[in-house]
């Protein structure tokens, strides 16, 4: 109740809006949390990244998370989080392509990209990303899985 009263006085205060979104999520008021978060200016990197953690399992938050990633177009961490969100939303086509963008920006998400490409049956793309996985054991296990699925 105190936060709601404070919001009436300080409608556009980013720290307050973020706290209201967090409290609303804890109370399982997802739509209200999304409304508060949507009003946040996307200028603070750490606060913007926190939105991915706050809404990582909320399918209705994908448009907000897309907007957040777009506000930081050259930051691979944002694109990695967005790709993960798409994966959790069972949208592997989009997830694979967003992981690819994150990798192009310098993120080490080759394993994740390969997995999404494997899921959608794009085995050549899966093998291309798998070849760049740093951990040899993990790379070999995934490669076997891709080749088994390919048939």
């Amino acid at each position: 109740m105190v936060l709601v009263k404070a919001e009436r006085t300080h409608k556009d205060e980013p720290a307050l809006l973020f706290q209201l979104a967090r409290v609303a999520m804890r109370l399982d008021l997802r739509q209200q949390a999304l409304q508060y978060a949507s009003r946040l200016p996307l200028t603070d990197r750490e606060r913007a990244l926190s939105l991915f953690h706050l809404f990582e399992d909320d399918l209705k938050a994908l448009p907000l998370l897309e907007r957040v990633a777009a506000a930081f177009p050259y930051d691979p961490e944002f694109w990695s989080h967005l790709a993960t969100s798409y994966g959790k939303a069972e949208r592997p086509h989009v997830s694979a392509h967003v992981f690819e963008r994150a990798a192009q920006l310098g993120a080490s998400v080759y394993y994740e990209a390969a997995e999404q490409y494997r899921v959608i049956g794009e085995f050549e793309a899966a093998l291309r990303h798998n070849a760049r996985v740093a951990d040899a054991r993990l790379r070999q296990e995934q490669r076997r899985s891709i080749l088994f699925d390919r048939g």
Side-chain angles (χ1 to χ4, degrees), residues 115-126:
E115 275 303 295
Q116 294 302 310
Y117 279 117
R118 182 187 63 78
V119 166
I120 62 177
E122 291 188 26
F123 301 116
E124 293 310 311

Side-chain angles (χ1 to χ4, degrees), residues 27-41:
L27 297 173
D28 206 25
L29 301 170
R30 292 183 176 274
Q31 188 60 36
Q32 193 169 359
L34 196 52
Q35 288 171 359
Y36 288 128
S38 294
R39 291 172 42 202
L40 280 168

Side-chain angles (χ1 to χ4, degrees), residues 42-62:
L42 299 175
T43 53
D44 181 291
R45 183 182 186 280
E46 297 308 314
R47 188 173 290 133
L49 275 174
S50 294
L51 291 175
F52 282 100
H53 299 292
L54 194 60
F55 293 106
E56 66 186 353
D57 295 324
D58 192 338
L59 300 178
K60 292 180 180 177
L62 281 173

Side-chain angles (χ1 to χ4, degrees), residues 51-90:
L51 291 175
F52 282 100
H53 299 292
L54 194 60
F55 293 106
E56 66 186 353
D57 295 324
D58 192 338
L59 300 178
K60 292 180 180 177
L62 281 173
L64 169 66
L65 299 179
E66 289 170 346
R67 213 176 89 233
V68 171
F72 297 87
Y74 302 108
D75 191 324
E77 194 169 359
F78 285 91
W79 295 96
S80 298
H81 283 299
L82 182 60
T84 300
S85 296
Y86 275 120
K88 288 180 179 183
E90 297 182 13

Side-chain angles (χ1 to χ4, degrees), residues 103-104 106-115 126 129-130 132-134 142:
Q104 290 169 349
S108 183
V109 291
Y110 301 108
Y111 179 89
E112 293 84 350
E115 275 303 295
H129 287 284
N130 168 262
R132 299 190 70 186
V133 173
Q142 186 182 50

